[in-house]
Amino acid sequence: MTKLNMVKALNLALFQEMERDPDVVILGEDVGVDGGVFRVTDDLQRKFGSQRVIDSPLAEAAIIGTGVGMALYGLRPVCEIQFSGFAFQCFHQIENHVARYRLRSQGRFACSMVIRMPYGGGVRALEHHTESEEQFYAHIPGLKMVIPSGPRNARALLAAAIRDPDPVVFFESKALYHAAKEEVPPESETFPIGRAQVAREGGDLTLVAYGAMLRVAREAADVLQAEDGVAAEVLDLLTISPLDRETIVASVAKTGRAVVVHEAPRSFGPGAEIAASIMEGAFLRLEAPVRRVAAHDVSFVGFAREKANVPDVARVVAAARETLAF
Amino acid sequence: MTKLNMVKALNLALFQEMERDPDVVILGEDVGVDGGVFRVTDDLQRKFGSQRVIDSPLAEAAIIGTGVGMALYGLRPVCEIQFSGFAFQCFHQIENHVARYRLRSQGRFACSMVIRMPYGGGVRALEHHTESEEQFYAHIPGLKMVIPSGPRNARALLAAAIRDPDPVVFFESKALYHAAKEEVPPESETFPIGRAQVAREGGDLTLVAYGAMLRVAREAADVLQAEDGVAAEVLDLLTISPLDRETIVASVAKTGRAVVVHEAPRSFGPGAEIAASIMEGAFLRLEAPVRRVAAHDVSFVGFAREKANVPDVARVVAAARETLAF
Amino acid sequence: MPRTVLEPRFQVEYLSILDSEGHLDAALEPKLSPDELRALYRAMILGRRLDERMVRLQRQGRLGTFAPIKGQEASQLGSVSTLRPTDWMVPSFRETAAMVWRGWPIEKLLLFFAGYVEGGQPGEGQRDLPIAVPVATQLPHAVGLAYAAQYRGEDAVVMAYFGDGATSEGDCHEALNFAGVWHVPVVFVCQNNQWAISVPLKKQTHSKTIAQKALAYGMPGIQVDGNDVLAVYAAAREAVDRARAGEGPTLIECVTYRLGVHTTADDPTKYRAEEEVKMWEQKDPLTRFTAYMRQKSLLEDGLEQQVDEEIALAVERFEATPPPDPLTMFDHLYAELPPHLVAQREELARRLREGGAPEPDAPAPTPRATPMRGQRLTRR
Amino acid sequence: MPRTVLEPRFQVEYLSILDSEGHLDAALEPKLSPDELRALYRAMILGRRLDERMVRLQRQGRLGTFAPIKGQEASQLGSVSTLRPTDWMVPSFRETAAMVWRGWPIEKLLLFFAGYVEGGQPGEGQRDLPIAVPVATQLPHAVGLAYAAQYRGEDAVVMAYFGDGATSEGDCHEALNFAGVWHVPVVFVCQNNQWAISVPLKKQTHSKTIAQKALAYGMPGIQVDGNDVLAVYAAAREAVDRARAGEGPTLIECVTYRLGVHTTADDPTKYRAEEEVKMWEQKDPLTRFTAYMRQKSLLEDGLEQQVDEEIALAVERFEATPPPDPLTMFDHLYAELPPHLVAQREELARRLREGGAPEPDAPAPTPRATPMRGQRLTRR
Ligand SMILES: Cc1ncc(C[n+]2csc(CCOP(=O)(O)OP(=O)(O)O)c2C)c(N)n1
Ligand SMILES: Cc1ncc(C[n+]2csc(CCOP(=O)(O)OP(=O)(O)O)c2C)c(N)n1
Ligand SMILES: [Mg+2]
Ligand SMILES: [Mg+2]
């Protein structure tokens, strides 16, 4: 086992999938010589050539749109959108085509492709470089939406996404890219898409989180354990859509209480679906309303104010305490 | 009072607002000579000239993007996107700019503009001509999202939207365009944006709906009254965002039960926010989980199968009965 | 102010071989065999007759909205006929004649416009994309297909269709630009039919031709008389051959005219003069090609009846389509149905079993007006 | 295959007045007064010095990521200096020098890059849009502004900036096309600095020049030596005058070079050769303009120190900025705060009162490394 940060772990997944399958190609702005602005595709062009690791012109709609064409031909494009904030430029290609091609062609064609993008705050960045847009993809039928929380699952889920017959939107937390190293097995590994993980077991309360918020939820669980003697169960969604309602509902059916944590704005956000699903699945077990700890409904706050906007441990702990005291 | 259908009522609002305020301009594909493919802008170019009612080239991003520029200059553009299914082509302009300009310029500039588009099914139409995308706009901070349910409120809300200092995304149900006529006062009228209406009072159950689904909810309430002796309260949201949680929660606090109805796909849809907000606001009054009656999580079914996909009276009645029996 | 003029200077050519008076430029006449000419002519007649039949079906409420092709047969068939089956065809939404040429069964196209998703399914192994409704969005797909062909070392060429209005969309620009940079085998066929619904070309772009837009991408562009099937064929032949030879993409502007409505939901009298239509009717691609075929003694007796019969049989098959099973709406969304959709499918199945669900809306093949000759009621 | 060549044929001109050897084409020399030349020169020096200072501030952790302009001063100032205050300036994200020319206080720009939304606020009545981060999305705004000016009968001209990479985006195409059709007073200034991060121009587009892309929109296009402030000025002057006279839009391609990093997060040694940078350093717009000013005896003693002092004072004001009040994050989202945001604001206020909220992250004006000359710790 080697310890890798998330950037290196993702790079490993790409490398191994490209070795395994000659149909895997990479496409995006600066993914080639530069290795991507976050270096996730580092060295891949040197290894696989500029026909397989393609520095595209600066046009997101065409990155996804030509990716669709490649996928229809039978290739497995992995498209990189440089920041999730610029993926609205190709949102029509994603919604109109990527998500629909299997359906529209009634199974003749498939868009087996991955759309990778860095998302989220925590890196002192400009506007459109700090947002969390997962909700927009989660609401589109035909897509899968994955957000890993650490190097190992990032690597295993990216490999799974590349092999998946359906299109996967793959969000990578910029805050996690270099956050921590983790043991990552050298041989290829996949994790199932659509399955949440119990990151920590507990019987008193369920904390639902994903991506960079997993750490926040975990630390909140530590605080609750240490200061309140409360055993919080922490769920790491990993896949946002299709949502693993079974795991979520099972946990809340046990604990009776839940707090959902995400970086996306609160209103009409992913926490709403999770809360509604919990209510539908575990209504009679609920001891308190499901709470949402999320960013405020503000589009951009600037990094000088970012910490006051994105959920932190104190907010999660406070929400958990209110839920427990309800 | 004259009786008008929704198309004529919207046309009246546009006419009166243009008479009132020379800064109001209309911009979109086929809005001029043709009067819009649904005739909502009929005759306006003849009345106000081709500088004020502009037949744009076929490019949604530029329709919104140039609309932004006009708004920054101080005009009040009313942009028409021919079908809501083609608004993802300009989604980046909406999310990146329309919703953010006031914030980004810290109040120096505002995007006082309206983005009108026909949405929803029921008109035997092709792909991208039948979908309900309100969720995508509701989740964007900085926007307002309005969906009228009949000629009179369509007219009054469109007038309010044009006068609103903030950008308003205005969805018009194609199924309602010619559905029914209603008395519409000849003199100008506005309804407040952000306020839901109690369309029918009742104490046993709350049905939350909007747009074309209001009729479905109303008829379901009739059936429940007639067949079950149940008094359903029907809420007409009118504004999706900012959501009028106060009215919704007050109703459910009274009835203890709620069913939300929408044409958008179910998962991560507007019903989730409404359900979550009800849980947060009226948890202790809830006798049953909030139910969602929505389209399936399928992007397109074709009009031959559409009736089996979009909520109908029978589904709402069934959901209401299950909620009442919970 | 004097300045240096950069070399090379740019120019755009115009190609016409058989004009509306029937004059033929014999030097440019493409070398098509009598069989090839007959096939092309038949396809043009079929395109025209099918279009007319579809308009009637729509008026009877048996089809939903669709976009007629009348007047554009030469643009479509002159170009698509240069492709091999192993090449790819990427349509927009107004390529009925080209799609039939490529082997789409007529009844499938009818099903498509009758609201059946089944109508969008290409045949097994057929290298045609289904109809793309959002204007210009199909063009990047064409470029991606061409890239993939090149990547795989296959010599397939991709032909992509779009309209004059489509040239305004960002996707059109991005696709042409990518094709230029990647130097891939795509032929972009713009059917400039002068109108994008109610918007005339001069309100669509300030450039004099669409062909000259190729200059922005360092790509050859040519304008052809799009009502001259021989000129379209010649230009497409050259572009396809060049693409196949690895010499990159081409933009072809076919100057043509939409003689009918934009779609069956449209009323062109609102925005264009009857005289303009009359003027273009003089340039009808069929009239011209018929004269040419007559002159070559290639006209076949009874062709129209043959074609009408083929159409009638297809309409019969279309009408014999069973009403759609609502449950299949979930079938091709994902490779494998995820749990929440299994639940939604089960719930729908239960409703269907219990009779709570609405009648499947199969208004399409069911005639709404008096049945016509050659038509029977839907079998149930 | 012989064909008709369509008229007119197209050509694109190249303009250079003061070359890198210091040769001047006196016939083309724009008529600028000594004061105007001095102002321009001072702005170029300020642009360069500020840029260098900002890089240092960033390296010390006192600014976040930003895009340096080194090498592009002539492109920016030659063009922006042709505007009146009543004209509009629409920047991308690399127009620091042009923004300062337009009156943006330096400390505001520093605040912007220190993560303060306050930094994006134009002055009262200032006709400048704030920085637009998403590439090319600002271009339709420029066209809309120009349309509005024309609509109101005002003679304001709009100047919009973008890079070579931006030309690939759909928004760029749509904006140019709308401007052509609407014939509005916009001047599109493309700073072709050869690179879009790591992507060189030849991978960005297959067209030989960016100027020729104007042909696709029936709009005049010109290529100028973007390191020649006189040539940029002359071309911009002509375009602005033409726009103001109601003669429509122009595309100006300034051929220049980004001498520094793409942004402070970038490492150009990964993708470009040192020799290329060296070669372009020979063409530095400042060297050339300095020689010209010297020859005209317009060089002022102590200019650099003056400029440095101005910058130092601005940095002081920047550092004196109080830490941001998190509660103001809600201030300008809507004209009036809707109820759910009132609630969120109250909740945040409560957390701030109770000390539960994190320290406002004001790393920006606070030096992270050893304080430099002319710098003091943030007042709190
Ligand atoms: C992105 C998008 N915007 C708008 C529409 C609605 N629409 C359908 S066809 C059409 C006009 C297309 O004009 P053109 O490209 O010239 O093709 P034609 O219809 O003339 O064949 C429009 C506006 C659409 N289908 N897609
Ligand atoms: C829509 C969008 N996509 C991607 C980016 C990330 N990005 C920022 S600058 C840049 C390159 C821009 O190149 P160019 O237009 O030549 O301008 P330059 O940076 O050279 O000034 C990229 C890809 C962005 N800001 N916006
Ligand atoms: Mg057309
Ligand atoms: Mg550049």
Side-chain angles (χ1 to χ4, degrees), chain B residues 28-35 37 39 42-43 45 50 55-61 82 85-86 89 123-129 266-267 291 295-309 312 314-315 322, chain C residues 61-65 112-118 133-135 137 165-166 168-169 196-199 203-204 266-267 270-271 324-326 328-330 333 340-341 344 347-348 350-351 356-364 368:
Chain B
E29 294 156 13
D30 306 291
V31 295
V33 188
D34 202 34
V37 294
R39 303 287 178 263
D42 209 24
D43 220 26
Q45 190 178 71
S50 59
D55 273 320
S56 77
L58 208 178
E60 289 76 13
Q82 201 160 79
F86 307 130
Q89 266 74 354
V123 292
R124 292 167 50 83
L126 290 171
E127 205 183 346
H128 315 287
H129 291 71
R266 174 189 174 94
S267 288
R291 276 197 158 257
H296 301 112
D297 289 316
V298 179
S299 40
F300 177 66
V301 304
F303 65 79
R305 289 175 174 84
E306 196 176 80
K307 282 194 186 151
N309 189 38
D312 58 24
R315 273 173 79 187
E322 288 174 49
Chain C
R62 292 147 82 199
L63 293 181
T65 306
F112 181 88
F113 290 112
Y116 282 67
V117 284
E118 290 88 336
V133 173
V135 167
T137 56
S168 295
E169 287 280 2
I197 310 187
S198 71
V199 179
K203 284 198 195 170
Q204 197 65 249
D266 174 51
D267 172 13
K270 279 214 81 162
Y271 54 79
D325 175 2
T328 56
M329 73 168 72
F330 299 99
L333 191 61
H340 68 291
L341 284 169
Q344 291 179 18
E347 196 246 21
L348 176 58
R350 191 176 45 70
R351 284 197 290 127
E359 269 294 276
D361 184 15
R368 291 196 160 176

Side-chain angles (χ1 to χ4, degrees), chain A residues 29 60 82 86, chain D residues 93-94 133 135 163-166 193 195-196 262:
Chain A
E29 294 157 13
E60 289 76 13
Q82 202 160 78
F86 306 129
Chain D
F93 48 83
R94 198 190 295 284
V133 173
V135 167
D164 45 311
N193 65 6
W195 292 90
H262 164 72

Side-chain angles (χ1 to χ4, degrees), chain A residues 245-293:
Chain A
R245 293 175 176 84
E246 203 185 322
T247 300
I248 300 170
V249 166
S251 175
V252 183
K254 178 176 73 176
T255 62
R257 295 178 153 90
V259 174
V260 187
V261 190
H262 59 68
E263 267 183 90
R266 174 190 175 93
S267 288
F268 296 89
E273 178 62 44
I274 297 165
S277 295
I278 290 172
M279 171 160 50
E280 284 157 2
F283 185 72
L284 294 175
R285 314 303 300 263
L286 271 181
E287 307 280 350
V290 179
R291 277 197 157 258
R292 295 181 274 170
V293 181

Side-chain angles (χ1 to χ4, degrees), chain C residues 271-282:
Chain C
Y271 54 79
R272 69 184 188 186
E274 196 48 40
E275 300 82 73
E276 182 182 295
V277 183
K278 286 258 155 57
M279 196 263 281
W280 279 93
E281 275 169 354
Q282 303 306 311

Side-chain angles (χ1 to χ4, degrees), chain C residues 36-274:
Chain C
E36 286 171 325
L37 284 169
R38 269 192 293 260
L40 210 46
Y41 184 68
R42 187 180 197 282
M44 283 181 63
I45 298 290
L46 177 62
R48 175 67 55 93
R49 303 293 290 185
L50 174 59
D51 202 56
E52 290 168 351
R53 183 65 198 267
M54 284 172 71
V55 172
R56 290 202 304 278
L57 287 169
Q58 198 281 336
R59 296 302 179 218
Q60 294 162 342
R62 292 147 82 199
L63 293 181
T65 306
F66 84 99
I69 64 156
K70 186 173 174 181
Q72 302 183 212
E73 296 87 352
S75 292
Q76 294 185 20
L77 292 163
S79 52
V80 78
S81 60
T82 60
L83 295 182
R84 303 176 182 166
T86 47
D87 292 333
W88 287 81
M89 206 284 260
V90 178
S92 74
F93 48 82
R94 198 190 294 284
E95 274 74 49
T96 316
M99 290 178 80
V100 173
W101 177 276
R102 289 286 293 178
W104 287 79
I106 291 171
E107 59 270 28
K108 213 176 232 181
L109 295 175
L110 298 178
L111 272 178
F112 181 88
F113 290 112
Y116 282 67
V117 284
E118 290 88 336
Q121 188 184 48
E124 180 88 55
Q126 191 185 344
R127 293 189 139 187
D128 286 42
L129 299 193
I131 286 172
V133 173
V135 167
T137 56
Q138 74 279 13
L139 299 177
H141 308 167
V143 178
L145 286 168
Y147 188 94
Q150 203 172 62
Y151 178 81
R152 288 266 183 89
E154 297 171 11
D155 73 352
V157 168
V158 183
M159 185 170 280
Y161 288 90
F162 57 113
D164 45 310
T167 63
S168 295
E169 287 280 2
D171 276 25
C172 179
H173 167 74
E174 297 188 9
L176 284 157
N177 189 49
F178 271 53
V181 173
W182 289 350
H183 210 65
V184 285
V186 196
V187 179
F188 294 99
V189 180
C190 179
Q191 296 189 62
N192 171 6
N193 64 7
Q194 313 303 324
W195 292 90
I197 310 187
S198 71
V199 179
L201 187 63
K202 68 170 188 302
K203 284 198 195 170
Q204 197 65 249
T205 181
H206 195 56
S207 85
K208 210 184 134 196
T209 68
I210 286 171
Q212 80 198 54
K213 290 177 186 282
L215 305 176
Y217 312 105
M219 179 191 300
I222 182 170
Q223 191 184 60
V224 301
D225 180 344
N227 286 3
D228 172 0
V229 70
L230 300 180
V232 175
Y233 180 88
R237 176 87 277 150
E238 187 179 295
V240 165
D241 290 349
R242 205 164 47 221
R244 204 180 310 282
E247 290 164 31
T250 305
L251 170 61
I252 299 176
E253 173 188 0
C254 299
V255 179
T256 180
Y257 194 77
R258 155 167 71 72
L259 288 172
V261 292
H262 165 71
T263 67
T264 48
D266 174 51
D267 172 13
T269 64
K270 279 214 81 162
Y271 54 79
R272 69 184 188 186
E274 196 48 40

